[in-house]
Amino acid sequence: MANKLTWHGHANFEIITPSLNILIDPWFEGNPSAKTKSTDLSKVDLVLVTHDHGDHLGQAIEICKRTGAHLGAIVEVAKHCIAQGISQDRVLNGIGFNIGGTVEFNSVKITMVHAFHSCERGFPVGFIVTLENDYTIYHAGDTGIFSSMEVLGQLYKIDLALLPIGGVFTMDPRQAALACKLLKCKNVVPMHWGSFPVLEKDTKSFQAALQEFASGTNFIEMSPGQTIDL
Ligand code: ZN
């Protein structure tokens, strides 16, 4: 069975492997693009949170409590979630992990990498998720472009990058396109657009910039609620 990816709008993605359902930045209630309610999800094994802004932490705590899913987050965000009632044995590494670190969860490797943004607790991060069949996904979280994305491209064979293109709070289309060149990613799905009025309304500028900066990266357009095979 192939791995699958569902985009729930904004930065909210669900990765479905033959054995695991992984949510990243599970913002459902309040997310104008989401087609699913958080309470509709029955099988969730792991929830990853890039930072504690409401549109990224979303319903992570409720989902973990209801489904028994594990939580993966930087230590300060993990501490907050434990204080909100997630049991410590459901938190990856008990206390969370930190930038540069890798934890393994049922044969899936999750590496925490930096992001340039703001947050209330700890630091904002991105994740490199290496699935059971070595398919490697980079979720950038909220970030501006940074030149050490090139280092991530040297360290990891990135099959798919999930990159914000919306501008105002994150990379804009040109930055995200140049990021693809630095990351040497095979495929890209743009995110963090279309959900707030101030963000990019479509992917046209990103597609044009991708031709200019990283024509070797395959563009994948997703619409909220859509599932694709990886
Ligand atoms: Zn944010």
Side-chain angles (χ1 to χ4, degrees), residues 51 53 55-56 117-118 142 192:
H51 63 295
H53 285 158
D55 56 324
H56 293 261
H117 189 64
S118 65
D142 276 359
H192 218 276

Side-chain angles (χ1 to χ4, degrees), residues 78-177:
K79 187 178 174 189
H80 167 69
C81 294
I82 291 166
Q84 296 295 310
I86 295 185
S87 68
Q88 209 172 346
D89 61 8
R90 292 281 159 183
V91 173
L92 291 192
N93 192 40
I95 58 166
F97 56 125
N98 217 316
I99 293 165
T102 299
V103 291
E104 209 164 323
F105 179 77
N106 291 11
S107 307
V108 171
K109 293 187 196 76
I110 303 113
T111 303
M112 186 175 286
V113 298
H114 53 287
F116 286 87
H117 189 64
S118 65
C119 61
E120 301 294 325
R121 300 169 188 86
F123 282 94
V125 302
F127 293 107
I128 305 269
V129 181
T130 306
L131 304 180
E132 293 103 318
N133 66 349
D134 281 337
Y135 192 93
T136 301
I137 299 170
Y138 169 49
H139 187 299
D142 276 359
T143 189
I145 192 170
F146 49 91
S147 59
S148 47
M149 283 180 172
E150 193 172 6
V151 174
L152 301 181
Q154 286 171 355
L155 281 168
Y156 306 98
K157 181 187 67 63
I158 299 171
D159 293 293
L160 173 64
L162 309 173
L163 301 182
I165 67 159
V168 184
F169 304 110
T170 69
M171 292 194 283
D172 62 15
R174 281 175 62 78
Q175 289 182 30

